[in-house]
Amino acid sequence: MDLGAIADNWRTLAALSAPAECAAVVKANAYGLGVDRVAPALWRAGARTFFVAHFKEALALRALLPDAVIYVLNGLLPDTADDHAAAGLRPVLGSVAEITEWSDYCRDNGTDLPAAIHVDTGMHRLGLSLEEAVQLAGTYRMLGFTPSLIMSHLACADTPGHVLTARQRMVFADVARRFPNVPGSLANSAGTLLGRDFRFELVRPGIFLYGGVAITGVPPLRPVARLEVKVIQVATAPAGETVGYGAAQRLKRASRLATVSIGYADGLFRAAGSSDLAKGVEAILAGRRCHLVGRVSMDLATLDITDLPEGAVERGDTAVFLGDGISVDDLAARSGTIGYEVLTSLGARYARRYVGG
């Protein structure tokens, strides 16, 4: 895990976004890479505002960064206002019930505690309806708290030219102007790249910080994660034999096979395997790309090394699944998924080593 690359990626986005503030999304254990190491590296790089999904994530982050601004994206569960207040956390309020509960808590305790207001501009997942947002805009100064952020989330910003993206920006701009002097935030990683009109006062990049593709066709920033596993056996098999569970792939030639210590319990998806109908993911062995052969099992996968020189691969050698030109999105595409899922699925059995930062 290259903390220096994560910090550089944040600095690149911060410079691009100025004068808007560049926050950092570190939910899901910093996209699977380890929030205990990633968040302090981002703080040292200059990030001061962070977003997580859950209250427990926010508590862990508060222990790491006592002075950070921390927003909880999944909102305010019933009877948790006191817990959020005690930890200095800012809930993202996406319903009238949440807003009422936070407002009442602030009034009852004689304190004005910051929180964000989330408006649904077309994703239909979380947030106030447009009608509720417009109604609130006329009375929000009478709340028991002062909103610190008005925000929404883009549904299709990673797809160039999608009609919903422009419509969401227009709707959000109309809503945000109804809350004067409250900073606005619409842009995720992809939205940050779409231009000044999408950035408002604060951007919330996630996947682009971690070396993934944010918009189809736009190259990622510096790669962050490298994934290496060990070869535990080298063997041969004759043509016509099958490899792995379900006999999903039959060998068309006499083959040399390297079985490596990685499986779906480690985040190498079962769909990443090969069959007679389709080739699966690749890994690099002895400087060459080699395809998986057969299905991925819980703890093991098998690579076809027939095209490598005899003796080029031995037990204990290293196979690279991420790095040396294989990006997180390359691995994802071969697995039928997205880079986000690859990173957040990296298993607990890996020995993690951090460099830079």
Side-chain angles (χ1 to χ4, degrees):
M1 311 297 186
D2 191 339
L3 298 175
I6 294 174
D8 281 350
N9 290 347
W10 181 86
R11 283 189 284 260
T12 297
L13 289 173
L16 174 69
S17 304
E21 180 186 357
C22 186
V25 179
V26 294
K27 61 183 180 178
N29 196 28
Y31 283 50
L33 300 184
V35 71
D36 58 327
R37 301 298 295 272
V38 170
L42 287 165
W43 178 269
R44 291 190 294 271
R48 293 296 179 263
T49 300
F50 295 81
F51 288 81
V52 295
H54 299 295
F55 173 72
K56 286 186 177 180
E57 292 179 327
L59 280 183
L61 184 59
R62 173 59 73 218
L64 294 167
L65 302 177
D67 299 320
V69 173
I70 301 173
Y71 284 98
V72 184
L73 288 164
N74 283 15
L76 187 71
L77 290 174
D79 302 317
T80 63
D82 188 57
D83 296 327
H84 283 75
L89 306 175
R90 301 185 181 188
V92 177
L93 308 173
S95 69
V96 172
E98 289 179 286
I99 291 170
T100 300
E101 184 166 339
W102 190 251
S103 181
D104 288 347
Y105 176 86
C106 289
R107 281 202 185 95
D108 291 346
N109 289 275
T111 184
D112 185 348
L113 298 175
I117 292 175
H118 188 175
V119 179
D120 177 21
T121 56
M123 193 168 186
H124 297 291
R125 190 178 63 174
L126 288 174
L128 298 173
S129 69
L130 295 182
E131 293 78 10
E132 289 170 333
V134 169
Q135 183 175 358
L136 179 65
T139 60
Y140 80 93
R141 291 182 179 85
M142 293 183 284
L143 292 172
F145 70 97
T146 302
S148 56
L149 196 67
I150 184 84
M151 61 177 282
S152 190
H153 194 66
L154 293 166
C156 303
D158 55 343
T159 304
H162 199 289
V163 64
L164 180 57
T165 304
R167 187 163 78 234
Q168 283 191 272
R169 191 211 67 80
M170 181 178 64
V171 170
F172 182 73
D174 179 65
V175 171
R177 70 174 178 79
R178 299 171 185 269
F179 293 82
N181 302 316
V182 179
S185 179
L186 177 65
N188 52 10
S189 289
T192 302
L193 303 179
L194 291 178
R196 187 182 299 273
D197 287 348
F198 283 85
R199 295 175 192 144
F200 294 87
E201 284 74 44
L202 183 141
V203 298
R204 315 184 306 269
I207 191 64
F208 218 42
L209 296 176
Y210 306 110
V213 169
I215 296 180
T216 303
V218 177
L221 296 175
R222 289 182 59 187
V224 168
R226 180 178 179 87
L227 176 57
E228 301 176 349
V229 300
K230 292 296 184 182
V231 175
I232 57 177
Q233 181 174 303
V234 177
T236 61
E241 291 295 297
T242 59
V243 179
Y245 283 122
Q249 185 172 8
R250 190 173 299 278
L251 298 174
K252 296 180 180 179
R253 59 181 178 174
S255 301
R256 282 182 292 114
L257 306 172
T259 299
V260 291
S261 185
I262 185 174
Y264 55 76
D266 305 298
L268 182 66
F269 301 109
R270 191 168 180 270
S274 296
S275 69
D276 289 335
L277 300 177
K279 289 185 176 181
V281 305
E282 297 173 315
I284 296 173
L285 267 169
R288 295 269 299 274
R289 291 195 180 210
C290 304
H291 275 285
L292 286 184
V293 57
R295 287 181 182 171
V296 175
S297 55
M298 183 180 291
D299 313 297
L300 300 168
T302 302
L303 293 162
D304 185 346
I305 59 170
T306 310
D307 293 329
L308 297 181
E310 188 82 31
V313 177
E314 299 179 348
R315 179 173 63 93
D317 284 351
T318 296
V320 178
F321 280 80
L322 282 177
D324 295 343
I326 299 178
S327 73
V328 64
D329 291 284
D330 293 333
L331 181 55
R334 290 277 189 175
S335 305
T337 185
I338 55 177
Y340 301 74
E341 190 173 18
V342 168
L343 291 179
T344 57
S345 298
L346 292 174
R349 297 193 292 193
Y350 296 117
R352 293 169 180 250
R353 184 167 65 91
Y354 293 87
V355 298

